[in-house]
Amino acid sequence: MKDIGLKFFECPLEEKLQYACKSGSAASEGYGSRMLVKDDQVLDWRDYFDHHTLPLSRKNPCRWPHHPPSYRETVQKYSEQMKLLAQRLLTVISESIGLPSSYIQEVIGEPYQNITISYYPPCPQPELTLGLQAHSDMGAITLLIQDEVGGLQVLKDGQWITVQPLPDAIVVNLGDQTQILTNGAYKSVEHRAIVNALRARLSVATFYDPSKQTRICPAPELATKDSPPRYREVIYGDYVSAWYTKGPEGKRNIDRLAVDS
Ligand SMILES: O=C(O)CCC(=O)C(=O)O
Ligand SMILES: [Fe+2]
C-alpha cells in the first residue's frame, strides 16, 4: 500500500487532479488536500486520497488511480485484510469488558470502510503548521500504517508523544464510537500529524465505521446503577455532520455528548 500510494503522489499534478474529489462535499472520494471544508480554518499541510471500500455498494474502483497497474488490486486485498483485523480487534475489545464477543460488531452492523492515504510534503517552516490537526477519529476503529519518516503523535497525560515508526507495524487507533459503546472503558485517542522540512511522509489509515443511520449509545450491560451511562445516544450520521461543521478541535465532539457536560 505504501509503495502504490507513493507512486500516485509522485505523479504530476495534472494526473492526480483527474481523480480530484468533489470540492465542498466533506469526505468525498478521491484526491484532495484538506480535511475540512470551511474557509476560515487553518488548512492541513497534507494531500490525501480517500477510497470508499465498504460496503460493496459504495465501492467503485474506476475512481481509483489506474497506475501502477497493481493499484486497484492492492487496495482491494488490503481492504479485505483490514476488515478481518478490525473485526478481530472489536471482538477482543467486547470480550475484554464482559460483553458478548460480537456486541460491538452487531451494533455497527454493515461496516463502512474508507482507506485514506495521506501524503505530507516537506514543509519549509514546519513549526508554523501541522500535517493534520489534533483530532480523534469519529468512527469505531482505525488501523494505520506509516513509513519510516515519523510524524504521528498521540496525546498522553497532556503531552504529545511521537509514535515511533516500526517496520510492518499497524497502529490501532480507537475511535469515538468505541468510547461511547464501551461507556468510556476504552477511550478514543487524540492524535495529530506533524511535518518536517526535509522529507515527505506517507501514512495509510483504514477506518472501520458504522453506517450513518446507526444509533450509538453505551452498552446497557455496562451502564448500570453504579456506573450510569456517561454519554448520550447519538445517530452516527448526526455525529459525522457535527464533526465536519464544527471541526474536530481535539475531542470536543465526543465531549459534547458527555452526560455531565
Ligand atoms: O498521518 C497520520 O499518521 C495520521 C492520519 C490520521 O490521523 C487520519 O487520517 O485520521
Ligand atoms: Fe486520525
Side-chain angles (χ1 to χ4, degrees):
M1 280 300 291
K2 290 186 262 183
D3 284 353
I4 57 157
L6 197 56
K7 289 210 170 79
F8 173 75
F9 284 103
E10 283 172 346
C11 280
L13 184 62
E14 310 82 77
E15 195 165 330
K16 289 187 283 205
L17 286 176
Q18 288 174 18
Y19 302 95
C21 54
K22 282 194 226 107
S23 63
S25 127
S28 73
E29 184 164 25
Y31 170 66
S33 59
R34 57 169 72 174
M35 181 160 90
L36 291 163
V37 288
K38 277 169 107 186
D39 289 336
D40 56 349
Q41 264 147 353
V42 177
L43 300 183
D44 300 313
W45 194 270
R46 171 179 90 127
D47 275 9
Y48 62 84
F49 198 106
D50 192 22
H51 311 74
H52 293 176
T53 41
L54 286 174
L56 294 178
S57 55
R58 286 170 81 227
K59 194 177 94 180
N60 184 355
C62 297
R63 294 199 284 247
W64 306 345
H66 295 50
H67 299 290
S70 59
Y71 192 103
R72 295 160 177 200
E73 200 192 334
T74 306
V75 174
Q76 174 55 36
K77 285 199 180 134
Y78 190 71
S79 149
E80 286 160 17
Q81 293 301 315
M82 291 301 109
K83 174 184 173 194
L84 295 176
L85 180 56
Q87 291 181 332
R88 180 85 199 102
L89 290 165
L90 292 175
T91 302
V92 172
I93 289 171
S94 297
E95 286 171 355
S96 73
I97 46 173
L99 294 171
S101 17
S102 59
Y103 184 84
I104 299 180
Q105 275 182 73
E106 271 173 29
V107 175
I108 291 176
E110 172 140 68
Y112 272 58
Q113 187 195 56
N114 285 347
I115 300 182
T116 304
I117 308 183
S118 295
Y119 180 81
Y120 305 92
C123 176
Q125 289 185 286
E127 64 290 349
L128 294 184
T129 189
L130 283 170
L132 189 55
Q133 62 189 288
H135 66 284
S136 53
D137 293 343
M138 56 188 127
I141 187 168
T142 307
L143 301 172
L144 184 127
I145 54 175
Q146 56 173 337
D147 65 15
E148 72 291 356
V149 175
L152 173 64
Q153 295 189 322
V154 296
L155 191 63
K156 184 168 189 299
D157 304 328
Q159 298 222 354
W160 287 107
I161 316 256
T162 298
V163 179
Q164 291 305 334
L166 293 174
D168 302 329
I170 297 175
V171 178
V172 179
N173 279 343
L174 296 185
D176 295 339
Q177 307 316 305
T178 299
Q179 178 166 337
I180 299 173
L181 285 167
T182 63
N183 204 26
Y186 281 89
K187 305 242 173 346
S188 60
V189 62
E190 186 167 341
H191 56 286
R192 68 181 190 182
I194 56 168
V195 283
N196 72 81
L198 300 176
R199 294 181 71 187
R201 167 172 181 260
L202 186 124
S203 73
V204 183
T206 306
F207 303 94
Y208 185 101
D209 301 336
S211 70
K212 299 271 164 70
Q213 307 78 33
T214 311
R215 273 172 198 281
I216 304 284
C217 65
E221 292 92 323
L222 298 177
T224 58
K225 250 208 194 125
D226 301 334
S227 126
R230 296 170 63 185
Y231 305 97
R232 285 184 283 272
E233 180 178 287
V234 68
I235 308 280
Y236 183 61
D238 296 342
Y239 193 87
V240 173
S241 309
W243 200 101
Y244 277 109
T245 330
K246 302 196 174 78
E249 277 185 33
K251 291 182 66 169
R252 82 167 190 195
N253 287 292
I254 188 164
D255 291 344
R256 283 178 49 246
L257 284 182
V259 167
D260 52 10
S261 71

